[in-house]
Amino acid sequence: GWCPLSPAGAQTTQLLVEPPWRPAVLWDQVTLTCQGSGTASATTWYKDGQRWGQQGRDCLSVIVSGTYMSDRPGTGLSPPVMVSDDELVLQVPARALLEGDTVTLRWQC
C-alpha cells in the first residue's frame, strides 16, 4: 500500500548562518544562506514577516537587525533566525550541544 512520508523524514528549508555563532549579531557581518529544494531563483526572503531584499538569491548579507526567514517552493518557509544589533553579547557555537560537551563561549564588547 501507499505510505506517506513521515514529518521526521520530510525535507525542509533551512537557513545557514555564517559565522556559526548564536545569537547572531550585526557586528559579525552575518550572511544567511537559504538551503532547500528547487532553484535559488525561486527563493523569497522575509524580515519581520515582510518580503525583504533581493528575491531570487540564495544568500543574503544582513545589514539590519530583525528576524529573517527564507521560502523555497517545495520545502516551504525556514525556521526564523534573529539577528541582533546588541553591542554586548555572550555567544555559543551554533550546533547541538550534549551533556558533557566542551563549549567555547565568546564574549564581545
Side-chain angles (χ1 to χ4, degrees):
W2 178 80
C3 181
L5 185 65
S6 69
Q11 264 198 314
T12 57
T13 302
Q14 296 293 329
L15 277 183
L16 176 67
V17 183
E18 286 294 333
W21 293 89
R22 296 291 187 278
V25 285
L26 284 180
W27 41 256
D28 255 345
Q29 298 181 340
V30 173
T31 299
L32 303 176
T33 302
C34 186
Q35 298 179 321
S37 68
T39 60
S41 62
T43 302
T44 302
W45 289 96
Y46 296 91
K47 176 187 168 290
D48 301 327
Q50 304 293 318
R51 285 172 69 104
W52 179 261
Q54 187 173 353
Q55 308 303 308
R57 297 179 59 103
D58 66 348
C59 66
L60 180 72
S61 295
V62 179
I63 57 172
V64 178
S65 63
T67 300
Y68 291 83
M69 293 185 290
S70 66
D71 183 73
R72 282 275 183 90
T75 50
L77 207 57
S78 71
V81 169
M82 193 184 101
V83 181
S84 168
D85 61 356
D86 289 345
E87 293 181 4
L88 185 64
V89 68
L90 182 65
Q91 293 177 303
V92 297
R95 62 179 179 83
L97 298 175
L98 302 174
E99 186 176 349
D101 283 353
T102 298
V103 179
T104 299
L105 301 178
R106 192 168 76 147
W107 183 266
Q108 180 73 28
C109 58

